[in-house]
Amino acid sequence: MEPHVPSGQTALGTPHCCKWHVPRKLLIQGTIFPAPNFNPITDAQLLGGALQGISCEKDVLIDILTQRCNSQRLMIAEAYRDMYGRDLITDLKENLSHHFKEVMVGLMYPPASYDAHELWHALKGVDTEEKCLIDILASRSNMEIFQMKEAYLMQYNNDLQQDIDSETSGHFRDTLMNLAQGTRMEGYADPSTAAQDAMILWEACQQKTGEHKNLLQMILCNKSYQQLWMVFQEFQNISGQDIVDAINECYDGYFQELLVAIVLCVRDKPSYFAYRLYNAIHGLGFHNKTVIRILIARSEIDLMNIRQRYKERYGKSLFHDIKHFASGHYESALLAICAGDAEDY
């Protein structure tokens, strides 16, 4: 199990200095943007030449697929099919191998389809990958969850919630199922109920009955982010303890990890993903799947912010750590998604 996340000021750099601590405003920015002067036919021709030569020109694949946004890649795939009568993803799979293949193929999925793909393999692989389920379901908006469920059904002819129900168990399963409903209130906050919700959370951490666990996850899964910010501050006022520390003391296993992930995503998603990347890189072996999944999934959302949080919290840049632990074309692809040059860090 990963080490517990420090809470409060240590975890997120957000001291409790006022009654309602407002999240710091930041420009949310990815690292991949629409390419100017984009021509899908030209790109498709270059990819076809790179894939059909005597030896696969991997640098060409990196230069094109990491420097186009997802919607542009989909247009390239359509032009490729029209030009060669073949599926680009299939050709990538046949010509590439190992982790480099996972990166190049992953870039070709629309975001919802990529989430669905990762969830399917997390649920239906040899072993259930609980941390993948946590990363995705704890961090996605209602719309993202709706779209991934639609993609999951179309791609695998299975219902995501039914698969979660059959492949996981206990309060961990119940919380995942709640998140997968995608029914979190959005943009609504009621200061008059924050103290009451905080008291329920505090009692749930003290008594730990099945009923209290249900109440705990219902609040964390269904209240708006704005409401939960106030609830967490009231929890601190009531208990003298940060909510993350309380969860870590009272619960364990994947249920505890999921609850903490929800709290950290409410507070600051870039900090959460920086933490997950650091553990994936510096834990027991470089956890390639986690690094690939986060870089691809966040590349057009907030990967620039994740890079900033990573450097602030751990002293070294994400660029530096990837370069130290990965190698070859796989390293080049990850660094291209990460974006920037060494002097930027």
Side-chain angles (χ1 to χ4, degrees), residues 56-235:
C56 180
E57 298 176 44
K58 296 175 182 176
D59 289 332
V60 174
L61 303 183
I62 295 171
D63 290 344
I64 293 175
L65 296 183
T66 67
Q67 302 306 309
R68 309 292 185 268
C69 68
N70 187 260
S71 61
Q72 290 177 332
R73 290 184 217 117
L74 298 181
M75 286 188 272
I76 294 170
E78 185 176 350
Y80 188 94
R81 183 184 293 277
D82 291 342
M83 194 175 298
Y84 299 107
R86 293 196 305 278
D87 179 66
L88 178 55
I89 289 181
T90 301
D91 282 2
L92 289 169
K93 288 179 178 178
E94 290 178 353
N95 285 275
L96 305 177
S97 61
H98 305 303
H99 301 305
F100 180 64
K101 176 176 74 173
E102 293 175 32
V103 177
M104 293 294 102
V105 171
L107 287 168
M108 295 307 303
Y109 286 102
S113 295
Y114 186 63
D115 278 348
H117 172 270
E118 293 297 290
L119 289 170
W120 169 261
H121 287 281
L123 288 164
K124 297 297 184 179
V126 176
D127 295 309
T128 303
E129 296 178 34
E130 288 86 358
K131 292 181 188 297
C132 174
L133 304 179
I134 292 170
D135 281 350
I136 294 175
L137 290 171
S139 65
R140 301 311 194 249
S141 68
N142 289 347
M143 181 57 70
E144 288 169 331
I145 289 171
F146 172 79
Q147 291 172 342
M148 82 173 66
K149 288 195 293 186
E150 291 286 300
Y152 194 94
L153 182 62
M154 288 184 62
Q155 289 166 220
Y156 305 108
N157 199 32
N158 276 46
D159 180 84
L160 174 60
Q161 288 169 276
Q162 289 181 2
D163 283 352
I164 291 172
D165 186 50
S166 64
E167 300 296 335
T168 60
S169 61
H171 292 284
F172 177 64
R173 175 194 61 206
D174 296 341
T175 310
L176 290 175
M177 292 282 285
N178 200 332
L179 290 169
Q181 291 177 18
T183 55
R184 181 184 298 282
M185 297 184 73
E186 294 184 334
Y188 174 81
D190 182 2
S192 66
T193 64
Q196 178 183 347
D197 289 340
M199 183 61 72
I200 293 172
L201 294 183
W202 184 77
E203 290 176 353
C205 288
Q206 298 302 307
Q207 301 188 35
K208 296 182 284 188
T209 66
E211 180 182 357
H212 282 92
K213 289 179 183 177
N214 287 335
L215 290 171
L216 173 62
Q217 60 100 352
M218 287 292 289
I219 289 174
L220 293 182
C221 294
N222 292 287
K223 300 289 184 177
S224 72
Y225 277 21
Q226 294 85 346
Q227 181 74 15
L228 288 174
W229 268 91
M230 294 188 293
V231 171
F232 297 157
Q233 185 57 55
E234 284 290 0
F235 186 95

Side-chain angles (χ1 to χ4, degrees), residues 6 19 21 35 47 49 68 116 144 160 172 187 220 227 238 244-245 252 267 275-276 296 305 312 322 326-327 330 340:
K19 185 174 183 182
H21 181 75
L47 290 175
R68 309 292 185 268
E144 288 169 331
L160 174 60
F172 177 64
L220 293 182
Q227 181 74 15
I238 291 168
V244 170
D245 291 333
D252 57 18
R267 286 176 164 166
Y275 155 73
R276 290 288 293 125
I296 291 177
N305 306 98
E312 291 168 3
I322 289 173
S327 61
Y330 173 48

